Each structure stands twice: as structure tokens, then as C-alpha cells.
Amino acid sequence: WPGVSSGSPPAQAGVAMKVGLKILEDGPDWVPHDIEMPLPWVTTETGKACEGSDFADGCNFFPQADDTFVTEVFQKDLLPESSLDSAKSGTP
């Protein structure tokens, strides 16, 4: 069935933690007033299965994950530590 998948990714929490730690290290003056995180979109046409537990070679979903697992949780450009294993275990 044709479709599209998008969502508000939990990676936002990881990025927020990074911003908070950076404020503690360098002070608040460097922080922009707006931090935008674009919503990731995967369509039927752009879907590409990942072979392992990491996003590699342009893949964007994990066929081995259970039916309730959505890949919008990952935004590798903003939270490179994310992977299928890290999402399941809570360990980066």
C-alpha cells in the first residue's frame, strides 16, 4: 500500500541534552533562540531497508524490528549515536 511515515522524533530529547550540556560547558550566549529539527519523511517510494542495526547507505527503516517500531526516532545528522540497538537498549 502506498503511504508515508513521519513523526516527532524522540531524538529531540537527545539533542536537547546536548544543548544543555553545551550550555553548562560554554555558557548560554552561543545558544540560538530557535533550534529547528526537520521532520523526517519516508514514503513508499523512498523506503530502503537497513541490513544491520545502523543507518547506512541511505537506508531508512529496519525490517527486522517489530511492527510498532518507527524509524522516525532517528535523525543521524543531529543524533549520530542513534541506532536500532541503542533504541532498544537505551545505550548509545
Side-chain angles (χ1 to χ4, degrees):
W1 292 90
V4 65
S5 174
S6 186
S8 181
Q12 293 174 354
V15 172
M17 180 63 72
K18 287 182 171 189
V19 170
L21 291 172
K22 185 76 170 159
I23 290 172
L24 291 174
E25 290 177 353
D26 298 334
D29 294 336
W30 73 274
V31 179
H33 289 150
D34 294 311
I35 299 174
E36 294 184 17
M37 291 186 64
L39 291 176
W41 290 90
V42 177
T43 67
T44 305
E45 291 80 25
T46 63
K48 181 179 177 187
C50 298
E51 293 183 17
S53 66
D54 291 312
F55 283 103
D57 301 322
C59 71
N60 51 25
F61 74 94
F62 298 101
Q64 71 273 27
D66 64 43
D67 290 342
T68 62
F69 192 80
V70 293
T71 55
E72 297 91 50
V73 301
F74 302 106
Q75 286 184 296
K76 292 298 279 187
D77 55 331
L78 299 173
L79 194 65
E81 302 88 348
S82 61
S83 70
L84 179 60
D85 292 335
S86 67
K88 288 182 173 182
S89 70
T91 304

